[in-house]
Amino acid sequence: MALPFAVLISGRGSNMLALERATRDGRIDGRITAVISDRADAAGLDAARGLGLATTVIAPAPGEDRDGYGRRLADAIASSGAALVALAGFMRVLDRGFVRAWQGRLLNIHPALLPAYRGLHTHRRVLAAGDARHGCTVHFVVEELDAGPAVIQGRLKLRPGEDEAALSARVQRLEHIVYPRAVGWFAAGRLECRDGAAWIDGRPVGPAVVEEKT
Ligand code: GRF
């Protein structure tokens, strides 16, 4: 049976669109039950509506704490029938209760080669450090930010003189390859989170790797 999953966004939603494409062309045996955003102005919402996907805005209420927000989010996800949650540029830190409830069924994509460069502004920091390599990581979400078991990475070599915008665009192209692959594995029952590691086909991975085609 096709895996029902929810995608959480805050912005453009290009990863959400890549996931949706993969449900249509068979790379993911799944269907998106809800696209949820914490911001009504997220551009990805219009794109999702245009594709006929159900969209929900769950904006933080004035004075609401992280737990309260997490409960409303969990309710919306549960009522959509999702069995997996894919964070795709969702810019809010989730509370412990939410993460525990969804542990092993909660994926995120991070624009760096974790464990390097957790947090924000990864491309800028990689360029400032003069690193030779960069990329993105799909990982299971745990309570510690950007610290869960890595499933798959897209990797590239930096080019001389490359700026932040160019680097970001190359990383995003890799994101659109590796995120559908990870969700596709999960939907096929090939990916799980166990003993603090990601397992694919019954073997711990550390993580799978896709190199940019040059
Ligand atoms: C991506 O770069 C992702 O790695 C990060 O947020 C960005 C979201 O981009 N978590 P988009 O909204 O999917 O285009």
Side-chain angles (χ1 to χ4, degrees), residues 11-16 88-89 91 108-111 123 172 175-176:
R12 204 165 23 163
S14 70
N15 280 284
M16 176 271 297
M91 297 304 286
N108 181 44
I109 184 144
H110 181 77
H123 310 311
Q172 278 236 306
E175 293 183 357
H176 301 161

Side-chain angles (χ1 to χ4, degrees), residues 6 8 33-34 36 56-58 64 66-83 85 94-95 97-99 101-102 105:
L8 273 52
T33 58
I36 299 175
T56 307
V57 175
I58 303 190
E64 184 176 43
R66 200 177 274 175
D67 294 20
Y69 182 82
R71 280 193 293 276
R72 288 199 296 129
L73 194 59
D75 286 349
I77 294 167
S79 64
S80 84
V85 176
L94 296 164
D95 66 283
F98 184 96
V99 172
W102 282 92
R105 300 175 301 151

Side-chain angles (χ1 to χ4, degrees), residues 84-87 104-112 114 118 136-153 178-179 182 191 193 198 207:
L84 171 77
V85 176
L87 305 179
R105 300 175 301 151
L106 182 57
L107 290 170
N108 181 44
I109 184 144
H110 181 77
L114 292 173
R118 294 176 182 176
C136 56
T137 306
V138 177
H139 64 96
F140 284 104
V141 175
V142 295
E143 281 172 46
E144 197 183 337
L145 203 61
D146 300 331
V151 175
I152 184 168
Q153 290 187 326
V178 297
Y179 212 178
L191 170 65
C193 184

Side-chain angles (χ1 to χ4, degrees), residues 17-30 176 180:
L17 294 172
L19 291 169
E20 195 276 339
R21 262 195 309 280
T23 64
R24 273 189 287 126
D25 69 20
R27 280 174 294 147
I28 298 175
D29 180 13
H176 301 161

